[in-house]
């Protein structure tokens, strides 16, 4: 009799444990409703009571004083006290100091001597500034040609960069989107802003400016330009900001295309672990298994390459002080990320950056951070996005009805599968795998990104009149 009682207690406890586990699992994995979110928070200097809004749009032209270029040249001409790399080591310990010396020499003796040409390239794009929520936002605004208006369907496009990138990533991509000569039925009126705290956009003056707040500013920027509905394309932070925008303001988004398709909801994590045991069951081809699995290896790779993330997400002002005080330190820090984001076969190659991105393009991007002194304010964005206030929004668990397209480049950060992505974007319209390419797709292979983005646009089934 006692054995039956004990057995009954064990069964009851097991049942209670399973039942409790099911309740917890259900609670953690069910979709959440869209949160209420304030769309006019003031982020500028001083008290909002003293703020006088300015809705005008002003032309912007880059005009760097020669004295500033001369000062940079002097900084780069100082004797470098660099530690020699270990014997037989290329870039395994970080950016190689022999390579850094060569970059600095080229930056000083070649690149800066033709700064007028580089500045002219920046100014070849129409740029503007306007005040949004107390912040002056810089952006490129390239309209389509008159010929394209006659021949193609024209749609507004919000183009979003990340870190350590800038609008410079899009200089080859934008002309493909705006010109009538592309082979698609579409052309795009491109708005490519410098993110808040990046480039020539103001930084927030108080804590709390996370990806949801950034999405709100970007949405309000599009509304300022008269674009009530628009496409979004983004990678890195641009992908996360785009996802947040499509979640909080789906009524404004025609479609959202990402080249960094990540999702960190509890259900997505569990599916990723489960999928590691049966990868081919959830992928369109066995050739794409390496994009996602084994998940343990992907997490290890991420841990090994995310030291910068932990620094910027905990003490951004500390690393910012080091980077803004030394152009060589800034170069080493940013160049290391571009070196890593080539591909595994080139990561230890001294010519990798030149081969994949081009030296001038990478130095242009570096100059954006140097000239705007934005290393600290850009790094702070990481801390804001691991804060409790942002985590509590749980936007990865809020579904968006917006059509979504995903482009996965082989050597980018591990993305999630369609099986996971549909939990967030049930209207997943386009999914593509590429066996080449890495993190900076718009800079590395703009034509491939363009083809994928326009393929996504074509699948949405838009049949409106050509925009005049």
């Amino acid at each position: 009799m006692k054995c039956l009682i004990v057995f009954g207690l064990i069964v009851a406890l097991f049942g209670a444990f399973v039942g409790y586990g099911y309740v917890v699992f259900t609670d953690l994995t069910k979709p959440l409703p869209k949160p209420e979110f304030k769309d006019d928070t003031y982020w500028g200097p001083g008290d909002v009571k003293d703020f006088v809004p300015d809705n005008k749009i002003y032309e912007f032209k880059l005009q760097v004083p020669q004295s500033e270029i001369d000062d940079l040249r002097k900084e780069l001409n100082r004797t470098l006290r660099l530690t020699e790399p270990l014997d037989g080591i290329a870039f395994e310990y970080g950016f190689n100091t022999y390579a850094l010396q060569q970059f600095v020499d080229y930056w000083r003796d070649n690149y800066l001597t033709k700064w007028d040409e580089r500045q002219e390239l920046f100014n070849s794009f129409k740029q503007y500034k306007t005040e949004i929520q107390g912040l002056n936002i810089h952006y490129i605004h390239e309209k389509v040609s008159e010929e394209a208006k006659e021949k193609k369907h024209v749609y507004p496009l919000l183009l979003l960069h990340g870190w350590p990138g800038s609008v410079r990533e899009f200089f080859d991509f934008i002309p493909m989107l705006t010109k009538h000569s592309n082979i698609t039925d579409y052309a795009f009126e491109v708005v490519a802003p410098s993110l808040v705290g990046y480039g020539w956009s103001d930084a927030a003056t108080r804590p709390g400016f996370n990806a949801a707040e950034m999405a709100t500013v970007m949405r309000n920027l599009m509304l300022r330009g008269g674009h009530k509905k628009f496409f979004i394309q983004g990678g890195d932070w641009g992908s996360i900001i785009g996802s947040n925008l499509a979640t909080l303001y789906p009524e404004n988004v025609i479609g959202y295309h990402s080249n960094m398709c990540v999702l960190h909801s509890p259900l997505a994590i569990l599916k990723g672990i489960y999928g590691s045991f049966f990868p081919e069951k959830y992928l369109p081809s066995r050739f794409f298994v390496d994009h996602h699995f084994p998940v343990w290896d992907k997490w290890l790779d991420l841990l090994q390459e995310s030291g910068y993330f932990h620094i910027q997400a905990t003490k951004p002002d500390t690393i910012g002080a080091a980077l803004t005080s030394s152009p060589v330190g800034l170069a080493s820090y940013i160049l290391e990320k571009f070196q890593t984001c080539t591909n595994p076969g080139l990561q230890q190659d001294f010519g990798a950056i030149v081969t994949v991105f081009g030296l001038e393009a990478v130095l242009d991007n570096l100059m954006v951070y140097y000239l705007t002194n934005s290393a600290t304010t850009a790094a702070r964005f990481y801390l804001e996005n691991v804060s409790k206030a942002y985590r509590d929004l749980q936007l990865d668990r809020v579904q968006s009805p917006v059509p979504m397209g995903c482009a996965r480049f082989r050597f980018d950060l591990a993305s999630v599968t369609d099986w996971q992505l549909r939990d967030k974007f049930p209207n997943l319209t386009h999914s593509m795998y590429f066996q080449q390419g890495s993190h900076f797709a718009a800079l590395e292979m703009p034509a491939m990104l363009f083809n994928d983005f326009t393929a996504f646009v074509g699948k949405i089934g838009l049949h409106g009149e050509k925009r005049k």
Side-chain angles (χ1 to χ4, degrees):
M1 188 68 179
K2 289 182 179 180
C3 292
L4 289 175
I5 293 173
V6 172
F7 179 75
L9 287 173
I10 292 174
V11 171
L13 287 172
F14 179 76
F17 178 79
V18 171
Y20 179 74
Y22 176 77
V23 170
V24 172
F25 174 81
T26 303
D27 184 61
L28 287 176
T29 57
K30 68 181 180 182
L32 297 178
K34 186 177 74 170
E36 294 293 326
F37 201 79
K38 197 167 182 280
D39 64 1
D40 60 354
T41 302
Y42 177 73
W43 292 103
D47 197 313
V48 66
K49 296 177 181 178
D50 303 321
F51 171 59
V52 179
D54 180 2
N55 295 333
K56 294 180 181 177
I57 296 174
Y58 301 90
E59 290 188 3
F60 174 86
K61 188 175 183 180
L62 182 59
Q63 294 177 310
V64 180
Q66 183 59 42
S67 60
E68 195 165 346
I69 300 300
D70 293 340
D71 286 344
L72 174 57
R73 184 179 286 108
K74 290 178 183 177
E75 287 282 337
L76 298 177
N77 204 36
R78 291 180 179 178
T79 301
L80 298 182
R81 300 176 61 189
L82 301 175
T83 302
E84 292 188 0
L86 296 172
D87 291 346
I89 292 298
F91 294 88
E92 294 91 341
Y93 279 59
F95 202 75
N96 185 283
T97 49
Y98 291 154
L100 181 60
Q101 179 70 68
Q102 293 178 343
F103 271 99
V104 170
D105 290 346
Y106 184 88
W107 191 8
R108 180 192 62 235
D109 299 334
N110 295 83
Y111 180 90
L112 290 182
T113 61
K114 53 186 178 184
W115 170 248
D116 287 346
E117 296 178 17
R118 307 316 300 171
Q119 184 167 252
E120 186 177 339
L121 174 63
F122 276 91
N123 288 328
S124 66
F125 295 89
K126 292 181 173 62
Q127 298 170 71
Y128 303 88
K129 275 193 170 186
T130 191
E131 177 267 307
I132 304 290
Q133 297 172 240
L135 302 171
N136 289 311
I137 304 300
H138 161 264
Y139 61 102
I140 292 172
H141 185 187
E142 283 290 324
K143 298 182 179 181
V144 301
S145 66
E146 291 299 321
E147 190 172 358
K149 288 182 181 180
E150 295 297 325
K151 294 182 177 180
K152 297 179 181 291
H153 295 281
V154 180
Y155 301 102
L157 168 63
L158 175 63
L159 203 51
L160 297 170
H161 69 82
W163 184 93
S166 67
V167 294
R168 176 58 183 89
E169 295 178 59
F170 305 131
F171 281 12
D172 292 331
F173 188 40
I174 290 174
M176 298 178 185
L177 295 161
T178 58
K179 290 186 177 179
H180 73 276
S181 55
N182 73 61
I183 61 174
T184 73
D185 294 329
Y186 311 102
F188 302 90
E189 183 174 334
V190 176
V191 176
S194 294
L195 299 181
V196 172
Y198 289 69
W200 293 276
S201 288
D202 287 351
T205 61
R206 56 188 56 83
F209 193 86
N210 53 47
E213 300 290 356
M214 184 79 80
T216 300
V217 170
M218 297 298 110
R219 175 252 193 179
N220 289 340
L221 173 65
M222 295 301 284
L223 295 181
R224 173 68 52 81
H227 306 303
K228 295 182 179 180
K229 293 184 74 68
F230 48 88
F231 281 96
I232 304 170
Q233 201 292 317
D236 195 80
W237 278 125
S239 175
I240 295 170
I241 296 161
S243 176
N244 283 193
L245 203 163
T247 302
L248 293 170
Y249 309 103
E251 68 277 8
N252 298 122
V253 183
I254 305 171
Y256 158 60
H257 181 272
S258 170
N259 56 284
M260 193 186 83
C261 311
V262 295
L263 191 63
H264 301 296
S265 67
L267 184 57
I269 293 170
L270 289 172
K271 282 185 172 183
I273 295 172
Y274 180 79
S276 292
F277 297 99
F278 311 99
E280 295 182 18
K281 184 177 179 181
Y282 303 103
L283 296 174
S285 169
R286 62 184 177 83
F287 295 109
F288 304 144
V289 170
D290 287 347
H291 283 258
H292 305 283
F293 304 111
V295 69
W296 324 107
D297 291 349
K298 300 301 181 183
W299 286 351
L300 180 60
D301 290 343
L302 186 62
L303 181 64
Q304 291 174 332
E305 294 298 338
S306 61
Y308 76 95
F309 189 107
H310 295 285
I311 293 173
Q312 294 177 186
T314 54
K315 300 294 186 290
D317 285 21
T318 301
I319 186 63
L323 300 180
T324 55
S325 299
S326 168
V328 176
L330 179 68
S332 178
Y333 196 67
I334 290 181
L335 290 173
E336 186 271 324
K337 303 321 298 176
F338 279 90
Q339 179 76 21
T340 301
C341 293
T342 51
N343 67 63
L346 289 174
Q347 284 176 354
Q348 305 307 320
D349 192 313
F350 281 75
I353 288 179
V354 177
T355 300
V356 175
F357 304 112
L359 189 53
E360 259 68 22
V362 174
L363 286 174
D364 285 345
N365 181 73
L366 182 60
M367 286 293 284
V368 173
Y369 283 85
Y370 175 79
L371 294 172
T372 61
N373 203 36
S374 57
T376 301
T377 54
R380 286 174 181 166
F381 194 53
Y382 284 75
L383 189 149
E384 303 296 358
N385 286 295
V386 298
S387 68
K388 185 178 185 301
Y390 184 66
R391 296 198 311 271
D392 285 349
L393 290 173
Q394 299 190 74
L395 292 181
D396 274 355
R397 293 179 61 186
V398 181
Q399 290 187 330
S400 171
V402 169
M404 197 262 183
C406 174
R408 301 175 180 89
F409 290 90
R410 175 65 183 85
F411 303 112
D412 198 358
L413 300 175
S415 62
V416 295
T417 64
D418 291 352
W419 182 43
Q420 296 161 288
L421 205 54
R422 283 195 177 94
D423 294 328
K424 167 71 177 173
F425 291 97
N427 195 8
L428 179 62
T429 307
H430 173 81
S431 177
M432 185 61 67
Y433 287 83
F434 296 96
Q435 296 296 69
Q436 55 186 315
S438 188
H439 191 64
F440 299 99
L443 185 62
E444 179 184 357
M445 40 188 55
M448 192 171 291
L449 182 62
F450 169 80
N451 289 337
D452 193 78
F453 173 67
T454 52
F456 160 65
V457 173
K459 290 179 180 179
I460 294 180
L462 300 167
H463 300 293
E465 293 295 320
K466 297 183 180 69
R467 184 178 172 190
K468 301 295 185 182

